Every structure is written in C-alpha cells, then in structure tokens.
Amino acid sequence: MRYWSLLFALAAIISVGIFAYAPISPEWWLPAGPNVSAGHLHSVSSAGKQIDSLFVIILLITGIVFIGTQVALVYATYFFVDKGPNGRKASYFHGSQRLEVIWTIIPAAILVFIALYQMGTWASVKFRSAAPKVQPLAQVTARQFQWVIRYPGEDGKLETKDDLFMVNDLHFVKGKQALIYLKSSDVLHSFFLPALRIKQDAVPGLTIPVWFDTDQAGHYELVCAELCGWGHYKMRGNVTVHETQEEFDQWLQSALKEQSRDQVAAVVTGSQGR
Amino acid sequence: MTSRLRFVLIAGSISFLLTGCGDAFNAGTISYKDSEQFTKKQKDTPDLDGKPQLQEAVRKALADLFGPRPQEIKVPAGSGFPEGGRYLANYEKVGDGVQDIVYTEANSGKKVAVVGGYGLYRKYCLHCHGVQGAGDGPTAEFLYPLPRDYRRGVFKFTSTAPSNPKPTRADLKKTITHGLHGTSMPAFEALMSGSEIEQVIDYVIFLSMRGEVERNLISIAALVDKDDINGITADDIKESLDTVVNNWKATETLVVSPKARRTEPTRESVLRGRDIFLGKKFGTGQPVACTDCHGLHAKGDGSSFVERNIFDKVVFRRKSLDTAIEERYKELGDEHKSAQWQPGGHGGGHDSASSELPETFDAYKNRETTNWDKGSKDDWGNPLRAANLNLGVYKGGRRPIDLYWRIAKGINGAKMPAHGNLLPDDQIWDVVNFILALPYEPDLLKDAEQIKKSVTAAPAVTQR
C-alpha cells in the first residue's frame, strides 16, 4: 500500500505548482494596476510595495515549510510503510523534549520575526502621525450603498460653499499622496482599493484619515469590503487617476461647472444608443 | 465499491460548486402581479371588485399589449420602442421568430452582447422596485422613503411642466446615474455602462407604460356593467394606450428652461431669498408660504405637517397614529410639568390645575390627525415630510438648475407646489441662492420669528 503516499505527493506537487505558477500570471497574482503590460509583480502604490513584500516573505516562509513537511511526510509514508515481516517494528514512545522544544522555538522565532518586521509598514500605512502633510483630496462618506465624495473646491478647504459633491467618483493625481477623510453615515463600511492594497473600515462617528498614491494613471476600482447590508454588492466606485495635476484641475473645473449649472443643457442629446 | 461511489458523489458535487450558476439572477420564472385595483375594493380609485369577466378582459388586453410575462415582452405598436422588445430583453424580432441581439458600440465598433433592460432591471432594480415596477420588491419594506411605484406614470424629480408631466430620458438618466441623495436610491454610474443605463431607462418606461395602461383600463372597466358582454372594446384599449404613449412622447418638449440666468449669489441676493422664504413680497412676486411646510427655521417642521415626533413614531417605529398621538400628548404634558419646576418657571408645581397643557387632548388629536391625513401623504399614499433645508441634502439634485425646477415647478406627486407663476425668475434664483447658503450659515434664520413678523406686517401683503 505504499503507493498511497504517491497520491499525497501528487496533491503536494499540484499545490507547489500553483504556488510557482501564480506569480507568472496576472490573473492569479495580486491585483495589478490598470496597465497590466507594465508588469504585474510590483504593486503600483508605495504602500502596496511594502505590503506585497511582506506578503511575499510570508509566502516564501510558508512555502519552504510546506515543501519541507510534505517531503518528510511522503518520504516517511513511502519508505517506512509496508516493510513486511523483516522490517523493524514500529515502537511507541511518549514525548521528546528536544523535539518539542525545536518545533516550538522555530515557529515562535518566525512569528516574532514577522511581528517585528511588519511594524514599520503598519506604522507608515495606518498611524495617524504618518499621514502626509498635504491638502486633503476629499472627504469620503460611506452610506448604504454608495460613496459620497466631497472635494474641496478652489479654496482647498472642506465644508465650504464651493465644495464639489460627487457620488462613487474618486479622482486623484499620479505620483502624489492623496489624503482623504473617511466617514460613515450609517453602518460599518470598508474603503477598499484592491490595486493599491488600501483597506480601511469606515466607522460611524469617526473621521479616519486614509492616504494612498500610485505611479500609474488610469482607472481603478473602489469597493466596499465590509458586508454592510443587502446592497453591499452595489457599493462600488470608479477611481480615476490623472496623469498630471493640470488634467485633474481640468476635471475639477468641469465638474464644478456642471454642479453650478443654471440652464438646461444646450442640446439634449438624443443618443439613446439605438 | 462504496468508496468509489462516494468518490463519484464528492467529485460530482465539487465540480458543480466550481461551475456554479452564472446568470443565476435571471433563472427561474417571475410573473406580473395584478394591481390591487383588480380584486380589492378601493377607497379613492376605481376598482374591479366583483367583476371577474372584466378583470379577465383587462388581463388579456395587458398581455396582448405588453406580453403575458416579464420574460415574454411585447412592445405595443407605436410606443417608440423597437419592435420585438429590443433593448428591453436580449432579443429582437426577426421575421416570425426572435433572436439574441448584439450591439455594435458606436465609437469602437466592438460587438457587445446586450443583456437587455429586463435582465439589468432584474439584477439591480427589481429587489426594491418590484416585478411590475410597483415599488413593492422584497427589500422595499425596509426603506424610507419607499421606492417609486412607476405605475401611475408620475415621477417626483422632473425638468418638465405642467402638472405631473413625464420625466425626460435625461431626468431618468440623472436619477439612475447619480442616485437620489437622502433616499435609498443609489448611484449606478460605477455599476452600469452608459448603454446599459439607457436599456434600464427603456425598461422603466416600459413598466411605467404598462402600469398606467393597466390603471386606465381599470378606470374604463369600472364604469362598465359587470355582465356586459362587450366589456371593454378595442377602441377603449387603443385609447388607454395612446394617451400614455403620447404623454411619454411629448415630454421632451415640455422641459422648463429658466428665462433668466442665475443671479450671482451675493449677500443681497441671499438675504432677499431668505425674506421671500419667510413670506415677504417683492416687486411683481406674490408672497409665498414656504414656512407653512418647511418651518420658520427650514427644519421641515412646518405647521401643515404632522409633528416630527409623531411622524417618526408611525413611520420608523411602526406605531399606529392614535398610539403615537396619545404618547406624544403625554410626553408634552410631562415636559410641561417639569418645565414648571425649573427655576423661573411660572406657576406653582403643587397646583395641579395649572400643570395642564394649554390644549385639550381632543383638540390636539384632531389637529394632528388632520395634518397626517391631509398634509403628510404623497399621491401614492406614502408618508412624507417637507425637507430640512439645513442639511444640504437635496434629493432632486444640488445644481442650481435642479433647485430652480423644484421651486418653479414643484415636486410631482408630493406636496411641494409649483411657484413659477407666483415668483418671477430672478426671485426664484434668490431663493435658490438662499437655500444653497443656508447649510453653511445657519444663523440666516436665527431671528426668523422677528423677520417673519416684520416682513409680513408690510402693508403691501395680500393673501396668496
């Protein structure tokens, strides 16, 4: 019956194969930026780069441990099963202090290493003191089931008369730190930009600063990552990253112009797509 | 070999789980529900209670015009929709049969399969707006305000006039794209492409037409004797349909365009707007009664509406109106009593006679019940309140043109009347400027009582 061990080996080999294949395929790896041809292995945001490196380290550690334990398991089941009447009889013994100390200390050391190693990343992504000292991009208020986004108008200050109100439409500029204030007007939501590896819960009663950047212009996705009610699946937003500040300003101007519209559109377009 | 059998079972169920059920939201059949006018006695509208033959005739007419089931769409001739229900469902009529349609994108020339308004509606809209667009989907009961019932053909926020006009496609598009802030209607811009939103608009208009034709046919049938063999005639059906279709077709020409550009939002304009809001008459304008509903401080607590506290008890805590009024009266009495114990409160606490409210319970109940019945319902019979204008939440949109439309032509089906004939355009713009400034300057209405007194005491005031 030693061939059973080959079945186990097969499962392990498939797992390792997937593990090895994942980085090659953009579909299987972590979410990439809008321009996939520019390479998908490196995240497009500076927080993402740090977070991904942690991810890769953990993946390597668990990968090595996985391969090691699988080799040992398959080896033991293949060679020591079915030794027949001539083989040495298996013996039972209770406890081995040396073995137990080793298998406690090694994982503990790995855990302590990971815990210490990630602290810098956590601090730079989440600590309020690490928030960039820039003008806020917007105030984002989550509500069932949409993102209400309020940009400071030309005066750069929020909560003033020239604020721009948008729904589900987040704009910022490539290569610049964007700082938003995240709020919720009803229940828990979670502001999630998968490609930028930014995820932050929106908590009723709290105003939470969130900051992010990217080195790739284009369209991204904003989703809600906290089950917030029956319409959770609808809670998505469009994120547009502009190539230059001028492009962003242009967009802001046109949006403000639309918001202050006092006339019926010159021509109501009859484009019904038929 | 039982283990082999088990293996087959497990492997089978795993592969089922993996393949899943794509498009599951379109699986299964759904069917139109009759309107409550068919079989139930109605208070204010015609009904077909006890007229089974006529009920059947109306059902048949509807099925002939619009198809018997949501999955089997027919488009009445001349309705403006392409034949065969194209864009309503994902097929079109070719010869005698139907076939799936493919849409060629105008700018890219790419061919895209069309889901169809029906499929999109079923995925995104049905759970609130219901199968026949009656605003009675399974999630509707958790919402306030309730989802729109399309079947009256009345939509609140339109750019068109006069009374209860149809919305333009642009109006519907705006509602779907940006949602209605302050309600549960979300923005769909990030979920659907432009052409998909157009398909949903088509389907909403289709459902609205169907619902309104249903109402019209019931009104006609209600006048017919229940044993009349002729029942409703082909002419009746054609007439019911034509009125509805023509109204939808005419709507694009009914858009109200302001005659004057917006006044610059200067201090003077804002203050003028405030005085108009509080009832002052300027020039050729007539005094308007904004505060009756919106309240002196624009908190949506005017005297024409039931008290906020009672409204909340009925709408959000699901109490009966009588219980809510009783409880509120008791609360008011308690507040009144404790106020007398405060330092500086007038009247001795020991004197039970003076601790009574100035108004008797019957008078209070009478007034609040009337307010509830008369003032606090929209045309659909749903509870309604005037907007609190201090919050900066504008359901129909925050662009000056949106607020202009709300003031000049009112909100269809709700209590907000049209003011276009009472105020000249420049004064409407003053009010718009005031409303846009109020959330940032709550002090504008700090002395509302005195201002109201002084502006309405002016000799020029005539009644509205």
Side-chain angles (χ1 to χ4, degrees):
Chain A
M1 290 301 286
R2 66 163 42 156
Y3 297 107
W4 272 110
S5 61
L6 295 181
L7 189 68
F8 298 134
L10 195 66
I13 288 165
I14 290 171
S15 305
V16 174
I18 292 170
F19 182 179
Y21 171 72
I24 300 168
S25 159
E27 300 282 304
W28 287 52
W29 195 242
L30 302 165
N35 184 8
V36 181
S37 57
H40 63 274
L41 284 178
H42 293 289
S43 168
V44 290
S45 79
S46 48
K49 290 189 176 77
Q50 295 186 55
I51 292 166
D52 284 6
S53 74
L54 288 176
F55 176 82
V56 170
I57 287 167
I58 295 171
L59 190 66
L60 283 176
I61 295 171
T62 49
I64 291 165
V65 171
F66 180 79
I67 293 170
T69 47
Q70 290 302 310
V71 167
L73 267 174
V74 171
Y75 176 84
T77 44
Y78 188 85
F79 285 101
F80 298 118
V81 83
D82 222 10
K83 277 269 176 181
N86 302 327
R88 184 160 66 88
K89 200 174 176 211
S91 65
Y92 174 81
F93 63 94
H94 181 78
S96 158
Q97 200 167 15
R98 186 188 294 172
L99 203 59
E100 282 174 20
V101 166
I102 291 172
W103 79 42
T104 307
I105 285 181
I106 293 178
I110 293 173
L111 279 179
V112 170
F113 164 73
I114 294 172
L116 294 174
Y117 190 78
Q118 58 82 38
M119 275 169 65
T121 305
W122 181 261
S124 72
V125 177
K126 293 280 181 190
F127 279 16
R128 277 169 192 245
S129 55
K133 309 277 180 292
V134 294
Q135 205 182 64
L137 170 81
Q139 183 191 68
V140 177
T141 309
R143 68 176 280 257
Q144 286 174 321
F145 298 96
Q146 60 195 16
W147 304 98
V148 179
I149 305 176
R150 184 172 180 163
Y151 298 86
E154 285 163 337
D155 62 357
K157 287 193 196 103
L158 278 162
E159 310 274 344
T160 54
K161 273 187 205 172
D162 69 340
D163 287 357
L164 170 68
F165 290 80
M166 297 296 276
V167 177
N168 293 344
D169 205 0
L170 185 68
H171 289 246
F172 63 99
V173 185
K174 184 183 111 171
K176 283 198 175 176
Q177 283 281 356
L179 172 70
I180 61 157
Y181 292 114
L182 186 61
K183 293 172 134 184
S184 167
S185 57
D186 36 43
V187 299
L188 280 178
H189 299 275
S190 187
F191 178 90
F192 184 27
L193 296 169
L196 305 186
R197 318 279 189 266
I198 291 293
K199 191 188 269 177
Q200 173 60 53
D201 277 11
V203 185
L206 292 185
T207 301
I208 303 171
V210 184
W211 54 97
F212 42 85
D213 63 0
T214 170
D215 51 25
Q216 225 175 71
H219 290 279
Y220 291 81
E221 197 179 23
L222 161 64
V223 290
C224 179
E226 177 72 55
L227 182 59
C228 58
W230 51 265
H232 172 61
Y233 71 102
K234 288 181 188 172
M235 209 168 152
R236 294 202 330 224
N238 286 327
V239 180
T240 308
V241 177
H242 294 281
E243 193 72 48
T244 58
Q245 183 68 39
E246 288 74 55
E247 206 182 293
F248 175 85
D249 290 342
Q250 234 168 42
W251 165 79
L252 189 72
Q253 283 306 325
S254 70
L256 280 169
K257 204 172 150 205
E258 172 61 20
Q259 184 171 280
S260 59
R261 188 139 78 83
D262 64 350
Q263 293 290 302
V264 182
V267 184
V268 179
T269 47
S271 65
Q272 301 175 3
R274 296 207 184 107
Chain B
M1 290 296 275
T2 51
S3 66
R4 185 161 297 170
L5 183 68
R6 198 180 303 149
F7 175 78
V8 170
L9 281 176
I10 292 170
S13 37
I14 287 173
S15 63
F16 174 77
L17 284 175
L18 287 178
T19 49
C21 20
D23 236 21
F25 61 89
N26 269 348
T29 46
I30 50 173
S31 50
Y32 295 124
K33 249 190 321 193
D34 286 344
S35 128
E36 50 285 356
Q37 287 172 286
F38 268 94
T39 47
K40 285 205 193 96
K41 199 108 201 97
Q42 299 291 309
K43 234 185 3 194
D44 310 318
T45 44
D47 61 68
L48 298 180
D49 183 35
K51 295 177 175 176
Q53 280 177 8
L54 287 165
Q55 288 172 13
E56 218 29 67
V58 173
R59 274 189 206 111
K60 188 177 171 297
L62 277 177
D64 287 345
L65 290 173
F66 298 96
R69 275 174 298 278
Q71 291 89 345
E72 243 177 89
I73 294 172
K74 276 190 196 167
V75 175
S79 65
F81 294 118
E83 222 183 327
R86 181 180 179 184
Y87 275 85
L88 295 175
N90 53 346
Y91 52 78
E92 65 184 324
K93 195 171 173 187
V94 179
D96 288 335
V98 286
Q99 70 174 39
D100 287 351
I101 65 162
V102 175
Y103 162 69
T104 315
E105 268 187 355
N107 39 9
S108 65
K110 212 167 62 182
K111 288 201 188 310
V112 214
V114 171
V115 182
Y118 162 70
L120 292 162
Y121 180 88
R122 199 164 163 179
K123 184 173 181 184
Y124 292 114
C125 322
L126 183 140
H127 65 79
C128 285
H129 288 284
V131 175
Q132 55 278 326
D136 61 352
T139 49
E141 65 169 308
F142 305 111
L143 310 181
Y144 178 81
L146 287 172
R148 178 67 42 249
D149 175 353
Y150 308 139
R151 295 174 306 169
R152 280 170 189 258
V154 178
F155 293 79
K156 275 191 177 170
F157 305 107
T158 69
S159 57
T160 46
S163 69
N164 288 353
K166 302 282 175 266
T168 62
R169 287 187 76 90
D171 292 336
L172 291 174
K173 186 170 184 175
K174 181 172 170 293
T175 301
I176 298 172
T177 314
H178 300 299
L180 296 177
H181 203 182
T183 77
S184 302
M185 175 74 186
F188 284 95
E189 196 171 17
L191 293 166
M192 284 188 265
S193 68
S195 82
E196 286 180 325
I197 289 177
E198 294 293 342
Q199 295 167 46
V200 173
I201 295 173
D202 273 349
Y203 194 69
V204 167
I205 296 177
F206 170 82
L207 284 181
S208 179
M209 278 187 184
R210 185 186 175 278
E212 226 184 329
V213 169
E214 182 183 36
R215 282 177 71 85
N216 289 351
L217 286 174
I218 290 173
S219 304
I220 294 171
L223 302 173
V224 178
D225 190 79
K226 80 173 157 85
D227 297 319
D228 193 333
I229 328 153
N230 296 324
I232 42 176
T233 62
D235 281 351
D236 291 337
I237 296 171
K238 189 172 178 313
E239 200 191 312
S240 303
L241 177 73
D242 287 352
T243 339
V244 177
V245 168
N246 291 339
N247 280 343
W248 275 103
K249 281 187 175 166
T251 188
E252 303 287 341
T253 61
L254 298 176
V255 175
V256 175
S257 182
K259 287 180 275 302
R261 294 301 295 259
R262 178 189 180 191
T263 320
E264 279 297 305
T266 55
R267 194 74 204 154
E268 292 73 45
S269 169
V270 169
L271 291 179
R272 210 158 46 231
R274 177 197 53 193
D275 291 352
I276 295 169
F277 179 85
L278 290 173
K280 187 165 178 179
K281 174 184 157 43
F282 280 99
T284 55
Q286 298 294 314
V288 286
C290 308
T291 51
D292 283 5
C293 298
H294 290 282
L296 270 179
H297 296 276
K299 288 191 188 321
D301 56 357
S303 55
S304 305
F305 279 80
V306 76
E307 231 183 281
R308 173 84 204 212
N309 185 293
I310 296 173
F311 181 88
D312 289 351
K313 284 191 167 98
V314 174
V315 174
F316 300 115
R317 295 167 67 188
R318 315 246 160 150
K319 293 186 174 172
S320 76
L321 182 64
D322 288 346
T323 324
I325 292 176
E326 262 168 53
E327 282 183 16
R328 180 62 186 155
Y329 188 76
K330 200 170 160 297
E331 282 166 24
L332 284 173
D334 292 346
E335 279 170 27
H336 187 69
K337 261 184 219 160
S338 63
Q340 288 177 328
W341 284 96
Q342 301 295 319
H346 44 80
H350 296 286
D351 185 357
S352 64
S354 70
S355 71
E356 265 172 31
L357 283 167
E359 195 177 20
T360 65
F361 175 67
D362 286 340
Y364 182 75
K365 182 173 175 179
N366 210 351
R367 180 164 50 92
E368 291 300 328
T369 313
T370 316
N371 275 350
W372 174 265
D373 289 340
K374 292 253 169 62
S376 306
K377 299 261 181 71
D378 61 19
D379 284 6
W380 294 268
N382 299 325
L384 158 100
R385 286 202 71 79
N388 179 348
L389 300 170
N390 293 272
L391 301 177
V393 172
Y394 310 103
K395 286 179 196 161
R398 63 178 317 117
R399 300 175 307 175
I401 184 76
D402 296 322
L403 295 171
Y404 173 91
W405 281 327
R406 298 297 87 76
I407 297 168
K409 42 166 293 325
I411 298 176
N412 310 319
K415 293 289 171 192
M416 177 77 181
H419 297 84
N421 50 354
L422 299 175
L423 296 173
D425 271 12
D426 59 326
Q427 293 188 25
I428 295 181
W429 286 124
D430 289 336
V431 180
V432 169
N433 289 338
F434 161 68
I435 290 171
L436 283 170
L438 184 63
Y440 300 98
E441 298 173 58
D443 284 352
L444 277 171
L445 288 176
K446 202 172 72 183
D447 306 317
E449 282 86 359
Q450 285 128 337
I451 302 167
K452 171 109 184 158
K453 253 185 226 146
S454 69
V455 296
T456 46
V461 172
T462 52
Q463 101 270 12
R464 217 184 115 187

